[in-house]
Amino acid sequence: MMRLSGGNVGIAILTQLLVILLAGFFAWGLVPLSWREYLKAGPWKTVAVAAVGLVILIAVTRELFGRREHKRAHRRVAKVFREASDQALEKRSALWLIDHDRHHPARLANAGPKLFDVLVRILKTDPEKLDRARAANALGVLGDPRAIEHLLLATKDEYPYVRAEAAFGLGRLKALQAEQCLRELAKEDWDAGVRGRAKEALERIGHPLGG
């Protein structure tokens, strides 16, 4: 089933049909009784089929246009990122690329090898804790094993969300060398979110906590 940027085409279609159905029931309740018999004889089956077809056509068309616009935006941002020399611009464009294309790692190659280095810099030095967490998650998405050592260091970050995303990134990378660190996080970290992510990571690398 095709996916929308904010959800699923099938869900979008069902939602729109439900709205139409509810609106139809509401409108029917407003129709005078003397009109109802006349209306019942109308070609409503044909109208219903046409309405369903129109909803599907609109949803699919929006999906196709949305994908095209997203690809255009990705190319523009990737170009800005590759050519940027300002660190603030590099950071904003790098995080945009990851946030919008985390489910399409192949597209991230358009940004070039520079993306890895910028994400590592954000993870290690950025004062914004949420951006450090986004960078930790992104390094897991990229799938580059060079990120393992940096994510291991990030599991010591003072901010629990960074530790949680670093742990999950290690799981994405199936970093067997991080097993001991992940076990310690899963058992000893004071934050429940970190413990949960560490457990997920251990399952991803094939060494669950109870194993």
Side-chain angles (χ1 to χ4, degrees):
M1 191 177 289
M2 290 189 298
R3 296 190 61 81
L4 287 162
S5 57
N8 184 282
V9 170
I11 293 175
I13 291 172
L14 289 175
T15 301
Q16 293 174 44
L17 290 176
L18 180 60
V19 170
I20 292 173
L21 184 62
L22 292 175
F25 277 120
F26 178 74
W28 183 256
L30 299 177
V31 173
L33 293 176
S34 59
W35 291 13
R36 292 187 180 179
E37 288 302 319
Y38 172 76
L39 291 174
K40 285 180 181 178
W44 299 115
K45 289 184 179 180
T46 302
V47 172
V49 171
V52 170
L54 181 61
V55 168
I56 293 174
L57 178 62
I58 291 172
V60 171
T61 301
R62 289 179 62 186
E63 163 69 2
L64 294 175
F65 275 107
R67 288 186 178 187
R68 188 176 67 177
E69 290 304 311
H70 179 80
K71 288 180 180 179
R72 287 178 177 174
H74 172 88
R75 287 195 295 268
R76 289 195 297 267
V77 176
K79 184 175 185 294
V80 168
F81 175 76
R82 290 193 302 268
E83 298 176 356
S85 56
D86 177 73
Q87 288 192 352
L89 183 56
E90 286 178 341
K91 170 186 168 179
R92 291 196 300 272
S93 52
L95 292 177
W96 187 96
L97 289 168
I98 288 293
D99 288 344
H100 289 78
D101 283 313
R102 65 177 59 255
H103 299 300
H104 305 281
R107 291 183 190 171
L108 297 175
N110 293 338
K114 177 182 174 182
L115 182 59
F116 176 86
D117 296 328
V118 172
L119 290 172
V120 168
R121 186 184 72 219
I122 296 170
L123 177 64
K124 297 175 72 172
T125 66
D126 201 278
E128 293 292 332
K129 55 190 179 183
L130 285 175
D131 289 340
R132 295 200 305 275
R134 291 165 73 192
N137 182 286
L139 286 169
V141 170
L142 286 182
D144 191 325
R146 292 179 298 161
I148 293 173
E149 61 176 301
H150 304 293
L151 291 174
L152 280 169
L153 288 174
T155 61
K156 309 299 182 186
D157 195 281
E158 62 180 356
Y159 183 50
Y161 192 34
V162 177
R163 299 198 301 275
E165 291 304 311
F168 195 63
L170 290 167
R172 281 179 179 270
L173 293 169
K174 301 189 184 303
L176 291 173
Q177 60 269 54
E179 180 180 354
Q180 184 57 39
C181 172
L182 292 171
R183 288 187 179 278
E184 291 175 2
L185 288 175
K187 293 178 180 178
E188 301 172 9
D189 198 281
W190 61 266
D191 184 82
V194 177
R195 296 196 301 272
R197 281 300 209 185
K199 290 176 183 176
E200 289 182 60
L202 286 167
E203 291 173 0
R204 278 178 173 263
I205 66 177
H207 291 228
L209 186 61

